[in-house]
Structures are given as structure tokens and as C-alpha cells.
Amino acid sequence: MDLNKLWQAQQVPAFDIEEFRKLAKKYKKGRKWKFIWTNLLLGLTFVFIVCIAYFIKPEFKSTYVGLGLILSSIFLFLLVHSGILKLYLSLDHDSKSYVEKLREVQKREEFLSTQVLEAYTVLLGLGIALYMWEYAVKLGLLGGGIAYGITIIWIIINWVWLRPMQLKKEREKRAEVLEKAEKLQEQWK
């Protein structure tokens, strides 16, 4: 019995390219729309905050500094986020460079979900704290303390629980598509 002949005679299951195409299309479409909606909502938030500053006319300078920090955080996030959206729109799952482009998207999304999101959260937190100062002073010690406490708890919940859960799900989806794309690329060689 020749084990070499038996091993070489084995049928290797072919990679289902149609399954991959469906997965890649679904992934691209889902991510594209997620990015578009996020950009749209952040853009509307940006406009809303500008309207607050224009129409309400806060009295304290700290309120304007807070609004500036909030707008800076949104602008920074939108800038990087829009760049990644352009990459998603250029993804073509039938191209041989798909794996390289997908790796580039993955690298940029990791940058977005680490450094940019951290900077966004810090700027946003400081901006909210400064913005709230004027109104917290008017509420008194108890009211201001409650307002700041609720805000801090919400930021902590987002940072410690919601953000890691969301990032994990997104990484798993990217890894699945990338893994299947790499298998397909191996078959093309």
C-alpha cells in the first residue's frame, strides 16, 4: 500500500466562489451603509451643535470651548471615517487585489477603533464637561452633581461595555471575510 499515491489521489474540496461572492457583497453592503448612516448622523449632530451655539448664546466661555471640543471630536472622527468609507466603496470582490485592499481596510478600521476612537472619546468627554459647566452651576451642587454623575456613568458604560462588544463583532466579521478571501486567493495560485 503506497500512502503517497493515496494522499495525492484525494479529492480536495473546491472553494465555493459563489458563497464567497455572496458573503463579500453582503459584508461590503452592510459596512457601506453603516458608514453612510454614521456619517449622516454625526454630520447632523455637528449641525445641531452649531445651531445650539448660534441660537442659544451661552454666557460662559467654557461653554463655547466645550462646544469647540465636541465639534473637533466629531470632525476628527468624520474625517477618518469618510476615508474608510471610500476604501469600502472601492472594494471589488472579483479583483485579485481584493485581499490586499481588505487588509488595508482592516488596518484602517483598527486605527479608527483604537487611536481615533480614544481621541474622539477624550475630546467629547472634555467638551461635554465644559459645555455642562454653565448649566450645572445654574442647577446647584445637587443638580449639577446628578447631571455630571449620569453623564460620567453613560460614558463609562459606552467605553467599558458597549464599545468592546461592538468592536469584537466587527473584527470577527472582517476576519471571516478576509479568511475566505485568502483561501480563494490561494486557489488562484
Side-chain angles (χ1 to χ4, degrees):
M1 183 170 193
D2 189 5
L3 290 178
N4 251 352
K5 284 185 182 177
L6 282 173
W7 181 260
Q8 290 174 354
Q10 277 184 333
Q11 290 286 331
V12 177
F15 188 80
D16 186 3
I17 195 161
E18 286 307 314
E19 177 188 331
F20 171 73
R21 281 188 175 140
K22 287 178 187 174
L23 176 69
K25 268 186 175 176
K26 181 181 175 189
Y27 177 73
K28 178 182 175 181
K29 184 179 179 182
R31 296 300 292 165
K32 178 183 78 171
W33 282 109
K34 181 186 183 295
F35 272 67
I36 288 171
W37 279 111
T38 301
N39 284 0
L40 180 66
L41 291 174
L42 279 175
L44 290 173
T45 303
F46 190 92
V47 170
F48 179 72
I49 291 170
V50 168
C51 289
I52 287 174
Y54 182 76
F55 290 113
I56 295 183
K57 308 260 191 243
E59 297 170 13
F60 290 12
K61 293 207 185 300
S62 65
T63 308
Y64 285 107
V65 173
L67 288 170
L69 287 173
I70 292 168
L71 293 174
S72 297
S73 70
I74 292 172
F75 181 75
L76 169 72
F77 192 84
L78 278 173
L79 189 68
V80 175
H81 207 254
S82 296
I84 296 172
L85 176 61
K86 288 178 187 174
L87 277 175
Y88 269 113
L89 294 175
S90 72
L91 277 179
D92 178 16
H93 60 276
D94 287 328
S95 143
K96 287 197 179 209
S97 65
Y98 181 75
V99 173
E100 287 80 29
K101 283 187 177 182
L102 197 58
R103 281 190 187 123
E104 177 66 24
V105 168
Q106 188 173 26
K107 189 169 68 171
R108 290 216 186 159
E109 278 200 42
E110 277 300 313
F111 174 71
L112 175 74
S113 63
T114 54
Q115 283 96 1
V116 174
L117 200 55
E118 287 173 13
Y120 170 80
T121 304
V122 168
L123 285 173
L124 188 65
L126 286 172
I128 289 171
L130 288 171
Y131 175 78
M132 288 176 55
W133 181 253
E134 177 176 342
Y135 307 106
V137 167
K138 291 177 182 176
L139 287 174
L141 188 60
L142 181 63
I146 291 172
Y148 271 106
I150 290 171
T151 304
I152 290 169
I153 289 170
W154 177 244
I155 290 171
I156 290 171
I157 287 171
N158 275 295
W159 188 261
V160 174
W161 187 57
L162 295 175
R163 179 179 160 261
M165 190 170 54
Q166 181 185 13
L167 292 177
K168 182 182 175 193
K169 283 171 47 177
E170 288 175 1
R171 283 183 183 126
E172 288 171 355
K173 287 179 187 176
R174 277 195 313 266
E176 178 187 7
V177 173
L178 186 60
E179 179 185 326
K180 291 193 179 197
E182 287 172 340
K183 283 182 184 177
L184 183 62
Q185 190 178 42
E186 285 296 317
Q187 283 188 356
W188 282 347
K189 291 182 180 180

